[in-house]
Every structure is written in C-alpha cells, then in structure tokens.
Amino acid sequence: LYDEQLDELIAVIKKLLNPGGRIIVTTPNEEILEKNYILCPVSNQLFHRWQHVRSWSANSLTRYLEDRGFAVDTCFTTHFGISFHKEHSRHPVRDSLRTAKKKLKYALNPTKKQPHLVAIAQLS
C-alpha cells in the first residue's frame, strides 16, 4: 500500500480493535523489490510483480507501528513455506524431506534471512 492508504488502514484498525486486542502483521522480510520487477509489454514500464511498493525490516516495521501508537509485543522472521507432515498429504515422505531441507538451510546458515516477517502489536 502507498503511504496514504496504509495510514488509512492503520486508522481503521485502531478504531476496530478492542481494548487489549492485538494485530498480527505479515509482510516479506527485507524484500529486494527490484528482483520482482517485470516489464509490461503494453506500456513498456517496469512494475513489481505483486505491486509491492516498499521493503520492510523488523526495525522499520516496529518503528512504523510504534510511531502510530502500537506497542510491539514481538517482531520476528520466519519461513511460511516450511510445513509439517500432514496425514492427508499425498506425498508425506517427499513433504517431510522438503521441510527438513528448508529447516536445515536456515540452521546451517544463521545469517541467511528468512523470507517472511511477522509483528504482533497492541494499542499502547
């Protein structure tokens, strides 16, 4: 969302949030926007594949929420693509191996950035 729309959304959330209620915000973590630019064949303009207009880090998201009256309980990175074995899976062994591979990737390289950011906050 652009600044104006994002600020409007936050204002609506603040009005709807019950006292003591929390919001959960998810966004890509430190996304390099240029990596997802594509060229429109009609206008010959570059645009982001998912129309993202900004990149968030744990610090920038925390600061943004705090500047708008929220107390951030936690802000962390994760990988939503890591799943756990499900009984109804068609390929439980393959799914388990894929999950193990992703978990190992981050365990062996602690400096590798996980792709998703989550913030949990409440009105202060």
Side-chain angles (χ1 to χ4, degrees), residues 6-7 9 29 36-37 39 76-77 85 112-113:
L6 186 56
D7 287 339
L9 174 65
N29 178 38
N36 287 301
Y37 281 175
L39 182 66
F76 60 92
T77 62
H85 172 71
K112 176 125 178 96
K113 292 178 188 165

Side-chain angles (χ1 to χ4, degrees), residues 6-76:
L6 186 56
D7 287 339
E8 287 175 17
L9 174 65
I10 292 297
V12 169
I13 289 170
K14 288 171 80 171
K15 284 181 185 177
L16 295 174
L17 197 62
N18 287 331
R22 288 183 167 73
I23 63 168
I24 300 172
V25 178
T26 65
T27 186
N29 178 38
E30 297 184 27
E31 178 182 20
I32 300 170
L33 296 172
E34 294 79 13
K35 285 188 173 184
N36 287 301
Y37 281 175
I38 57 175
L39 182 66
C40 174
V42 176
S43 68
N44 211 32
Q45 297 290 313
L46 288 176
F47 65 97
H48 192 277
R49 179 178 310 273
W50 298 283
Q51 290 78 47
H52 294 170
V53 295
R54 72 184 82 235
S55 179
W56 295 98
S57 68
N59 287 337
S60 66
L61 183 56
T62 297
R63 189 170 43 252
Y64 178 85
L65 292 170
E66 288 175 346
D67 288 349
R68 279 145 188 88
F70 288 91
V72 176
D73 297 327
T74 186
C75 190
F76 60 92

Side-chain angles (χ1 to χ4, degrees), residues 96-113:
S96 295
L97 289 173
R98 185 178 296 138
T99 295
K101 179 181 171 187
K102 287 178 183 178
K103 287 181 179 180
L104 192 59
K105 174 178 161 182
Y106 293 103
L108 294 176
N109 189 356
T111 61
K112 176 125 178 96
K113 292 178 188 165

